[in-house]
Amino acid sequence: MIAWTTPGRRFSLAPTTQGVSLVRKAVIAGNWKMHMSCAEARAFADSFRGQVENLPEDRQVVIAPPYLAIPTLSEALRGTPVAIAAQNVHWDKKGAYTGMVSAPMLLEHGVTHAIVGHSEPRKYYSETDEQINLRARTAQIYGLIPILCVGESLDQREARETERVIHRQVEQGLEGIAPDRLIVAYEPIWAIGTGKSCAAEEANRICGLIRGWVGDPDVIVQYGGSVNPATIDALMAQPEIDGVLVGGASLDPVGFGRIVNYQVPVGVG
Ligand code: PGA
């Protein structure tokens, strides 16, 4: 793969199943899950600011704090290139949905991205592909970029169902979704929070399949699952991996700083 950088944009001639990409820019996202109070988010931002002062132009950084910490983090990171994501978004703009948060509420606080279909709400709150699709559609209607998470369980991988499961999640999750304002994150469930990262070559293979199924060579496809400062460079050297979704390792400003400042050898990535 050939890559070169001009200010503000990474151009890469990435061979994909669908053609050649000219515009993909890496997106490094942190998912804080149910961690970080407002005070902790402020302390994180104080330390993390310095890590993004000289952030290369070929990448974007996004952090998804808990809803309550969104205003604090958004304010504390003002003036930095860090964008703010929500960890989920409801499909309706308002209504009798106790405990939920809508897209207009998020927009009021400068949120630009929303994670949908993460394996934890799929598992703990029984979210279906149909609901996830509605969330993604609503996100796009309001101008939020959905980060659709897909991935197989260990049982599914061992039963050789990985491709079938992810294909279904992509097909159903993205029905009616515009591929140009979208991120898909390949997150094998067995790699999330386990310390067992998927091998970079295998993550690359699945990300390439996902890009082909989405049908747009420019769609951003991330890898997620136990990404850490020691694994980031090898992952980002893969041609089909355009970024990462990081859980545990995004809670440490220094470690996450190393991740967002990943280094890929010249001519690769
Ligand atoms: P992890 O989580 O990096 O802690 O494995 C990833 C995720 O759930 O997005």
Side-chain angles (χ1 to χ4, degrees), residues 40-253:
E40 289 166 337
R42 207 173 289 116
F44 176 97
D46 287 346
S47 167
F48 190 63
R49 265 182 169 273
Q51 303 284 346
V52 288
E53 249 163 29
N54 298 308
L55 190 73
E57 303 259 11
D58 62 355
R59 61 199 71 176
Q60 186 182 10
V61 177
V62 182
I63 298 178
Y67 294 125
L68 277 175
I70 285 176
T72 301
L73 191 69
S74 179
E75 174 66 34
L77 289 175
R78 185 161 294 161
T80 73
V82 182
I84 305 292
Q87 294 180 16
N88 211 335
V89 60
H90 200 265
W91 54 80
D92 215 345
K93 61 177 183 293
K94 61 179 173 181
Y97 302 105
T98 302
M100 301 297 135
V101 170
S102 74
M105 294 170 186
L106 297 169
L107 289 173
E108 208 176 23
H109 293 285
V111 171
T112 52
H113 296 66
I115 297 171
V116 295
H118 190 280
S119 62
E120 286 152 14
R122 282 183 196 261
K123 176 179 170 194
Y124 297 126
Y125 317 124
S126 308
E127 283 200 4
T128 64
D129 285 313
E130 191 187 14
Q131 290 170 335
I132 290 159
N133 174 249
L134 289 175
R135 293 178 191 279
R137 282 180 187 228
T138 302
Q140 277 199 339
I141 287 168
Y142 282 91
L144 295 168
I145 296 174
I147 303 176
L148 173 74
C149 301
V150 298
E152 81 287 0
S153 66
L154 188 57
D155 284 352
Q156 289 165 335
R157 176 159 279 265
E158 286 175 348
R160 299 180 181 277
E161 289 174 354
T162 299
E163 287 84 353
R164 191 182 56 77
V165 167
I166 298 171
H167 183 262
R168 190 204 70 225
Q169 292 173 335
V170 168
E171 198 174 53
Q172 295 183 6
L174 295 183
E175 208 189 310
I177 296 290
D180 58 333
R181 286 171 290 118
L182 167 73
I183 297 172
V184 182
Y186 168 51
E187 296 214 304
I189 297 168
W190 48 270
I192 295 179
T194 58
K196 288 185 212 148
S197 188
C198 183
E201 295 73 18
E202 173 63 359
N204 184 63
R205 184 181 75 85
I206 302 284
C207 288
L209 287 175
I210 291 171
R211 177 164 294 108
W213 291 328
V214 173
D216 184 336
D218 293 330
V219 70
I220 302 284
V221 184
Q222 297 175 318
Y223 166 76
S226 297
V227 176
N228 63 51
T231 56
I232 185 66
D233 293 347
L235 287 165
M236 291 308 297
Q238 299 294 324
E240 300 282 3
I241 299 179
D242 301 327
V244 284
L245 183 52
V246 187
S250 69
L251 298 170
D252 166 31

Side-chain angles (χ1 to χ4, degrees), residues 24-40:
R24 274 152 47 197
K25 181 166 173 165
V27 179
I28 310 298
N31 172 13
W32 284 359
K33 310 192 180 184
M34 200 172 70
H35 295 282
M36 298 276 198
S37 65
C38 289
E40 289 166 337

